[in-house]
Every structure is written in structure tokens, then in C-alpha cells.
Amino acid sequence: MDVLLANPRGFCAGVKRAILIVENALKIYKRTIYVKHELVHNQYVIKKLRKKGVIFVEKISDIPDNSIVVFSAHGVSKKTKEKAIKKKLIILNATCPLVTKVHKEVSKASEKSIETILIGHKGHPEVIGTLGQYNNENSKIHLIESIEDINKLPIKKNNTKLNFFTQTTLSIKYTQSIIKSLKKKFPYISGPKKEDICYATTNRQNAVVKLSNITDMILVIGSKNSSNSNRLAELGRETGVFTKQIESFSDIKEKWIKNIKYIGITAGASAPEFLVKQVVEYLQKMGAKKPKEMLGTKEKIIFNIPRYLTLPSHLKNYE
Ligand code: 0O3
Ligand code: SF4
């Protein structure tokens, strides 16, 4: 069996930044760090941080006053931020800068009373945070998840003050078809030049399409609540290649790989590389050849952490 590794795969710049913020905060403050929601949607990342003493909460009210809180990479609503301020929490914001960019645009639309449509998945923390940037008594933000939802929108066809935005981790193909239908129904709608789907989502989805051309099975490493990982698995299946999403190597069933000649591996933006290595080791134990890295888009983007969270030299090698 040949093993092909997708490129790019795994951690994106937003996830790396969020993890570094928490790890450095632990070293600098030497106090309990609370994180609102899972910092990123990966079981192993969360487990590791929990071991270091990080406490994950869903509600700000569960955090004692004057504590340190980190907002997860998916971002929070304005109301959540206000609650944290009221409790006199020290806020460390690990929201990905690309999510913050959407927040700012939605907030601007709200201030200008521009009716807004957000394309995204109901209940996802990023969507909750983005919807929560809009607060206007005279106009509204509406969430749509599908093309079918467009016809249910209580918006006049020739509304000229209408905007749309998207979640950052959606399926590129499906989102484009939603936007096309939106533009058909609302000819005066405006929105981002492409959509708000980020570079990392785009590159990882393109890499899966490439994998699908040369493999007869794809393994996607990523937790069940990870939207971008779910989209990779969905895309794999759409290409017609047998695709399975796994948390780690221990989910792999021998019967899946029995007659497979070319197996592709990828990982969602929140899945650490050590999980890929474990899968490769497992496959090699089952007789697979040495893995080959596929060529793909090189990602050079780095998001800096706030200056006050960079480590002083005496803490740099501290583990
Ligand atoms: O948004 P998603 O469920 O994909 O989140 P993950 O798995 O934590 O990955 C990072 C992406 C993110 C923070 C939002 O863009
Ligand atoms: Fe940021 Fe994109 Fe990563 Fe989300 S997937 S954290 S938007 S870089």
C-alpha cells in the first residue's frame, strides 16, 4: 500500500496562534487560565491543555471574578465580551484574525443599518460570535445554511442596503452555489469579493481534491465537532473516493484498508501533526510503504501573538 500525505494539512496560522497564546499565558501568569469554549476543536489539543491546568467553560458566569479568560479561536459575541468585562476578567483574545475581520465587517454593517445575511452552520461557535456582532433595532442579521433557506428570508427582492458574509470554514463549492443563488434573488446584495472562507480552508480542500485523483481511500484526521475537518471528509466522499474521518489511528478498522492500494491522509486545521505520524506508523505496521508528501500550496502566513504574551527569555525553555 502506498501512503500519500496531503499538502497543506493540519494546523493553520489561527490555530497555532491560539495555542501559543494559552501556552505562553500559562508560563507568564502562573495562574489558572480559563478558556471560553474549546480553544480549537480537537480532543487531543484540549486534553493536553487540560493536563497543564487549563479550565474550559461554556459560560462566562462559570468563571470566578478577576480571573484570566481566553476567548477561543472561533471568537465570541459582543455580549460575551461585555459579560467578561463586567466580571473584571483579564481577557486574552485568541480569536483568529480572519474571524475578527468578519466580526468588524458585520459590526460596521450593523452600525450602518445594512440588512445582513450570514452563511454558516447554526449553533457553531464562530457563527454565534459573528451573529453577535450585529445589534441594531431597525435592521437585522439573518442566518442561512442552504440554498433552500434563501426563499424563507423575510427580505424584499430589491433591497439595496443588503450585505452577506460567510463562516470561514465552509465548503467552497457549496458556498459558491449559495452566493450565486443569493445574487440571483437579491440583485443589489453586496459582499466580500470572494467569500470569507479562509486561505487554510481553501488550501486543505484543494489538497483533498488532488488526493482523490490518485488514491482509493482517504483518511481525514479531525474531531467530530471540527467544521473544517468535517468539510474535508464530506469533500472526499463527494469525489467518490472511500473516505473516513478519524480522531486518531485507533479508530482505523482493518477491514477498511484490506484491499487499498493508494491511501491518502489529511488533517483538519485543528489536528496536530503527531496524529498524522501515528496513523502513518500504524499503516506501516500493516505493511504500507514509506509515505510520500504530495506537492501543494506552501503556506507562509503567520499570525503574531500580542506583544505582552511573548515570552521573556528566562521562560523560553520552560516546559
Ligand atoms: O470552525 P471549526 O469547527 O473548523 O474549528 P476548528 O476545528 O477548531 O479549527 C479552527 C478553525 C477556527 C477556529 C475557525 O475558523
Ligand atoms: Fe483562522 Fe482559517 Fe484557521 Fe479558522 S481555519 S483559525 S479562519 S486560519
Side-chain angles (χ1 to χ4, degrees), residues 17-82:
R17 176 179 180 270
I19 294 173
L20 196 60
I21 286 177
V22 174
E23 295 210 318
N24 285 8
L26 283 166
K27 292 170 191 170
I28 292 168
Y29 292 98
K30 296 191 177 72
R31 283 172 58 183
T32 304
I33 304 287
Y34 291 85
V35 180
K36 164 82 173 73
H37 190 67
E38 289 186 358
L39 181 69
V40 299
H41 290 148
N42 187 272
Q43 258 193 40
Y44 293 88
V45 173
I46 299 307
K47 226 188 257 170
K48 196 174 160 196
L49 292 174
R50 228 179 235 139
K51 264 194 191 158
K52 293 187 179 187
V54 174
I55 298 178
F56 294 92
V57 297
E58 285 306 318
K59 288 195 230 131
I60 295 291
S61 57
D62 291 337
I63 307 174
D65 291 4
N66 303 305
S67 306
I68 300 170
V69 67
V70 177
F71 292 152
S72 83
H74 319 93
V76 300
S77 66
K78 283 190 174 168
K79 271 204 183 116
T80 296
K81 191 176 171 189
E82 280 160 20

Side-chain angles (χ1 to χ4, degrees), residues 12-15 73 96-99 126 168-169 198-201 228 269 303:
C12 61
V15 165
C96 175
L98 299 179
V99 174
E126 181 185 325
T168 57
T169 53
C198 77
Y199 81 95
T201 302
N228 77 87
F303 294 136

Side-chain angles (χ1 to χ4, degrees), residues 169-187:
T169 53
L170 301 177
S171 149
I172 299 168
K173 214 170 143 197
Y174 190 51
T175 307
Q176 280 168 354
S177 66
I178 296 180
I179 292 172
K180 202 172 156 198
S181 304
L182 262 184
K183 286 183 174 166
K184 209 167 158 195
K185 171 104 195 237
F186 305 107

